[in-house]
Coordinates of all heavy atoms in Angstrom, one line a residue:
D29 N -19.3 4.6 -16.7 CA -19.2 5.7 -17.7 C -20.2 5.5 -18.8 O -20.7 6.5 -19.4 CB -17.8 5.7 -18.3 CG -16.8 6.3 -17.4 OD1 -17.1 7.1 -16.6 OD2 -15.6 5.9 -17.5
S30 N -20.6 4.3 -19.2 CA -21.6 4.1 -20.3 C -23.0 4.6 -19.9 O -23.8 4.8 -20.8 CB -21.6 2.6 -20.7 OG -22.2 1.9 -19.6
L31 N -23.2 4.9 -18.6 CA -24.5 5.4 -18.2 C -24.5 6.9 -17.9 O -25.3 7.4 -17.1 CB -25.0 4.6 -17.0 CG -25.2 3.1 -17.2 CD1 -25.6 2.4 -15.9 CD2 -26.3 2.9 -18.3
K32 N -23.5 7.6 -18.4 CA -23.2 9.0 -18.2 C -23.0 9.3 -16.7 O -23.3 10.3 -16.2 CB -24.4 9.8 -18.7 CG -24.6 9.7 -20.2 CD -25.7 10.6 -20.7 CE -25.8 10.5 -22.2 NZ -26.9 11.3 -22.7
Q33 N -22.3 8.4 -16.0 CA -21.8 8.6 -14.7 C -20.3 8.7 -14.8 O -19.7 7.7 -15.1 CB -22.2 7.4 -13.8 CG -23.7 7.2 -13.7 CD -24.0 5.9 -13.1 OE1 -23.2 5.0 -12.8 NE2 -25.3 5.6 -12.8
T34 N -19.8 9.8 -14.6 CA -18.3 10.1 -14.7 C -17.6 9.4 -13.6 O -17.8 9.7 -12.4 CB -18.0 11.6 -14.8 OG1 -18.9 12.2 -15.7 CG2 -16.6 11.8 -15.1
V35 N -16.7 8.5 -14.0 CA -15.8 7.8 -13.0 C -14.4 8.3 -13.2 O -13.9 8.2 -14.3 CB -15.9 6.2 -13.2 CG1 -15.0 5.5 -12.2 CG2 -17.3 5.7 -13.1
V36 N -13.8 8.8 -12.1 CA -12.4 9.3 -12.1 C -11.7 8.6 -11.0 O -12.0 8.7 -9.8 CB -12.4 10.8 -11.9 CG1 -11.0 11.3 -11.8 CG2 -13.2 11.6 -12.9
M37 N -10.6 7.8 -11.4 CA -9.8 7.1 -10.5 C -8.8 8.1 -9.8 O -8.2 8.8 -10.5 CB -9.0 6.0 -11.2 CG -9.8 4.8 -11.6 SD -10.6 3.9 -10.3 CE -9.2 3.4 -9.3
D38 N -8.8 8.1 -8.5 CA -7.9 8.9 -7.8 C -6.6 8.2 -7.3 O -5.5 8.7 -7.3 CB -8.6 9.5 -6.5 CG -9.8 10.3 -6.9 OD1 -9.8 10.9 -8.0 OD2 -10.7 10.4 -6.1
S39 N -6.8 6.9 -6.9 CA -5.7 6.1 -6.4 C -6.0 4.7 -6.6 O -7.1 4.2 -6.5 CB -5.4 6.5 -5.0 OG -6.5 6.1 -4.2
L40 N -4.9 3.9 -6.8 CA -5.0 2.4 -6.9 C -3.6 1.9 -6.7 O -2.7 2.2 -7.5 CB -5.6 2.0 -8.3 CG -5.8 0.5 -8.5 CD1 -6.9 0.0 -7.5 CD2 -6.2 0.2 -9.9
G41 N -3.4 1.2 -5.6 CA -2.1 0.7 -5.4 C -2.0 0.1 -4.0 O -3.0 0.1 -3.2
G42 N -0.8 -0.4 -3.7 CA -0.6 -1.0 -2.3 C 0.9 -1.1 -2.0 O 1.7 -0.7 -2.8
G43 N 1.1 -1.7 -0.9 CA 2.5 -1.9 -0.5 C 2.6 -3.1 0.4 O 1.6 -3.5 1.0
A44 N 3.7 -3.7 0.5 CA 3.9 -4.9 1.3 C 4.2 -4.4 2.8 O 4.8 -3.4 3.0 CB 5.1 -5.7 0.8
V45 N 3.7 -5.2 3.7 CA 3.9 -4.9 5.1 C 5.3 -5.5 5.5 O 5.5 -6.7 5.2 CB 2.8 -5.5 6.0 CG1 3.1 -5.2 7.4 CG2 1.5 -4.9 5.6
E46 N 6.1 -4.7 6.1 CA 7.5 -5.1 6.4 C 7.8 -4.9 7.9 O 7.3 -3.9 8.4 CB 8.4 -4.3 5.5 CG 9.8 -4.4 5.8 CD 10.7 -3.5 5.0 OE1 10.4 -2.3 5.0 OE2 11.6 -3.9 4.4
Q47 N 8.6 -5.8 8.4 CA 9.1 -5.6 9.8 C 10.5 -5.2 9.7 O 11.3 -5.9 9.1 CB 8.9 -6.8 10.6 CG 9.4 -6.7 12.0 CD 9.1 -8.0 12.8 OE1 8.5 -8.9 12.4 NE2 9.7 -8.0 14.0
V48 N 10.9 -4.1 10.3 CA 12.3 -3.7 10.4 C 12.8 -3.8 11.8 O 12.3 -3.3 12.7 CB 12.5 -2.2 9.9 CG1 13.9 -1.8 9.9 CG2 11.9 -2.1 8.5
V49 N 13.9 -4.6 11.9 CA 14.5 -4.9 13.3 C 16.0 -4.4 13.3 O 16.8 -4.9 12.6 CB 14.4 -6.4 13.6 CG1 15.0 -6.7 15.0 CG2 13.0 -6.9 13.4
P50 N 16.3 -3.4 14.2 CA 17.7 -3.0 14.3 C 18.4 -4.1 15.1 O 17.9 -4.6 16.1 CB 17.6 -1.7 15.1 CG 16.2 -1.7 15.7 CD 15.4 -2.6 15.0
L51 N 19.6 -4.5 14.5 CA 20.4 -5.5 15.2 C 21.5 -4.9 15.9 O 22.1 -3.9 15.5 CB 20.9 -6.5 14.1 CG 19.8 -7.2 13.3 CD1 20.4 -8.0 12.2 CD2 18.9 -8.1 14.1
F52 N 21.9 -5.5 17.1 CA 22.9 -5.0 17.9 C 24.3 -5.0 17.1 O 24.7 -6.0 16.6 CB 23.1 -5.9 19.2 CG 24.1 -5.5 20.1 CD1 24.0 -4.3 20.8 CD2 25.3 -6.3 20.2 CE1 25.0 -4.0 21.7 CE2 26.3 -5.9 21.1 CZ 26.1 -4.7 21.9
R53 N 24.9 -3.8 17.1 CA 26.2 -3.6 16.4 C 26.2 -3.9 14.9 O 27.2 -4.0 14.3 CB 27.3 -4.4 17.1 CG 27.6 -4.0 18.5 CD 28.9 -4.6 19.0 NE 29.1 -4.2 20.3 CZ 30.1 -4.6 21.0 NH1 31.0 -5.4 20.5 NH2 30.3 -4.2 22.3
A54 N 25.0 -3.9 14.3 CA 24.9 -4.2 12.9 C 24.9 -2.8 12.2 O 24.3 -1.9 12.7 CB 23.7 -5.0 12.6
T55 N 25.4 -2.8 11.0 CA 25.4 -1.6 10.2 C 24.0 -1.4 9.6 O 23.5 -0.2 9.5 CB 26.4 -1.7 9.0 OG1 27.7 -2.0 9.5 CG2 26.4 -0.5 8.2
N56 N 23.4 -2.4 9.2 CA 22.0 -2.3 8.6 C 21.0 -3.1 9.5 O 21.3 -4.1 10.1 CB 22.0 -2.9 7.2 CG 22.9 -2.1 6.3 OD1 22.9 -0.9 6.3 ND2 23.8 -2.8 5.6
A57 N 19.8 -2.6 9.5 CA 18.7 -3.3 10.2 C 18.3 -4.6 9.3 O 18.4 -4.6 8.1 CB 17.5 -2.4 10.3
A58 N 17.7 -5.5 10.0 CA 17.2 -6.7 9.3 C 15.8 -6.3 8.9 O 15.0 -5.7 9.6 CB 17.1 -7.9 10.3
R59 N 15.4 -6.7 7.7 CA 14.1 -6.4 7.1 C 13.4 -7.7 6.7 O 14.0 -8.5 6.0 CB 14.3 -5.5 5.9 CG 15.1 -4.2 6.2 CD 15.3 -3.4 4.9 NE 14.2 -2.6 4.6 CZ 14.0 -1.3 5.1 NH1 14.9 -0.9 6.0 NH2 13.0 -0.6 4.8
Y60 N 12.2 -7.9 7.2 CA 11.4 -9.1 7.0 C 10.1 -8.8 6.3 O 9.3 -7.9 6.8 CB 11.2 -9.8 8.3 CG 12.4 -10.2 9.1 CD1 12.8 -9.4 10.1 CD2 13.2 -11.3 8.7 CE1 13.9 -9.7 10.9 CE2 14.3 -11.6 9.4 CZ 14.7 -10.8 10.5 OH 15.8 -11.2 11.2
S61 N 9.8 -9.4 5.2 CA 8.5 -9.3 4.6 C 7.5 -10.2 5.3 O 7.8 -11.3 5.6 CB 8.6 -9.7 3.1 OG 7.3 -9.7 2.6
R62 N 6.4 -9.6 5.7 CA 5.4 -10.4 6.5 C 4.4 -11.0 5.6 O 3.5 -11.7 6.1 CB 4.8 -9.5 7.5 CG 5.7 -9.1 8.6 CD 6.1 -10.4 9.3 NE 7.2 -10.2 10.2 CZ 8.1 -11.1 10.5 NH1 8.0 -12.3 10.0 NH2 9.0 -10.9 11.4
G63 N 4.5 -10.9 4.3 CA 3.6 -11.5 3.3 C 2.2 -10.9 3.2 O 1.3 -11.3 2.5
N64 N 2.0 -9.8 3.9 CA 0.7 -9.1 3.9 C 0.8 -7.9 2.9 O 1.9 -7.3 2.7 CB 0.4 -8.5 5.2 CG 0.2 -9.5 6.3 OD1 0.4 -10.7 6.1 ND2 0.0 -9.1 7.5
V65 N -0.3 -7.6 2.3 CA -0.3 -6.5 1.3 C -1.5 -5.6 1.8 O -2.6 -6.1 2.0 CB -0.5 -6.9 -0.1 CG1 -0.7 -5.8 -1.0 CG2 0.6 -7.8 -0.6
A66 N -1.2 -4.3 1.9 CA -2.2 -3.3 2.2 C -2.3 -2.3 1.1 O -1.2 -1.8 0.7 CB -1.9 -2.7 3.6
G67 N -3.4 -2.0 0.7 CA -3.5 -1.0 -0.4 C -4.8 -0.1 -0.3 O -5.5 -0.2 0.6
E68 N -4.9 0.8 -1.3 CA -6.0 1.7 -1.3 C -6.5 1.8 -2.7 O -5.8 1.7 -3.7 CB -5.5 3.1 -1.0 CG -4.9 3.3 0.4 CD -6.0 3.3 1.5 OE1 -7.1 3.8 1.2 OE2 -5.7 2.9 2.6
A69 N -7.8 2.0 -2.8 CA -8.5 2.2 -4.1 C -9.4 3.4 -3.9 O -10.2 3.4 -3.0 CB -9.2 1.0 -4.6
G70 N -9.2 4.4 -4.6 CA -10.1 5.6 -4.5 C -10.5 6.2 -5.8 O -9.8 6.2 -6.8
F71 N -11.8 6.5 -5.9 CA -12.3 7.1 -7.1 C -13.5 7.9 -6.8 O -14.1 7.8 -5.8 CB -12.7 5.9 -8.1 CG -13.6 4.9 -7.5 CD1 -15.0 5.1 -7.6 CD2 -13.1 3.8 -6.8 CE1 -15.9 4.2 -7.0 CE2 -14.0 2.9 -6.3 CZ -15.4 3.1 -6.4
S72 N -13.9 8.8 -7.8 CA -15.0 9.7 -7.7 C -16.0 9.3 -8.8 O -15.6 8.9 -9.9 CB -14.6 11.1 -7.8 OG -13.7 11.5 -6.8
V73 N -17.3 9.4 -8.4 CA -18.4 9.1 -9.4 C -19.3 10.3 -9.3 O -19.8 10.7 -8.3 CB -19.1 7.8 -9.0 CG1 -20.3 7.6 -10.0 CG2 -18.2 6.6 -9.0
A74 N -19.5 10.9 -10.5 CA -20.5 12.0 -10.6 C -21.7 11.5 -11.4 O -21.6 10.9 -12.4 CB -19.8 13.2 -11.3
R75 N -22.9 11.8 -10.8 CA -24.1 11.4 -11.5 C -25.2 12.4 -11.3 O -25.2 13.1 -10.3 CB -24.6 10.0 -11.0 CG -25.0 9.9 -9.6 CD -25.6 8.6 -9.2 NE -24.6 7.6 -9.3 CZ -24.8 6.3 -9.4 NH1 -26.0 5.8 -9.4 NH2 -23.8 5.4 -9.4

């Protein structure tokens, strides 16, 4: 921005990768965090 290049952030964030396993005769599925994080960063630059 200090060089008159307009920077506009569109997205910045992420989420944890999760494994969901339905269990036999269970009311709720088992949910396991796999320790991975996947995210996105998006922005526009006009010059």
Side-chain angles (χ1 to χ4, degrees):
D29 284 334
S30 68
L31 301 176
K32 296 183 181 180
Q33 301 166 353
T34 307
V35 178
V36 177
M37 289 298 300
D38 299 330
S39 62
L40 183 63
V45 178
E46 171 187 52
Q47 178 180 353
V48 179
V49 180
L51 301 174
F52 180 70
R53 293 191 182 180
T55 304
N56 298 312
R59 303 177 86 87
Y60 302 101
S61 174
R62 291 297 170 208
N64 300 357
V65 175
E68 298 284 330
F71 54 90
S72 298
V73 178
R75 67 174 66 201

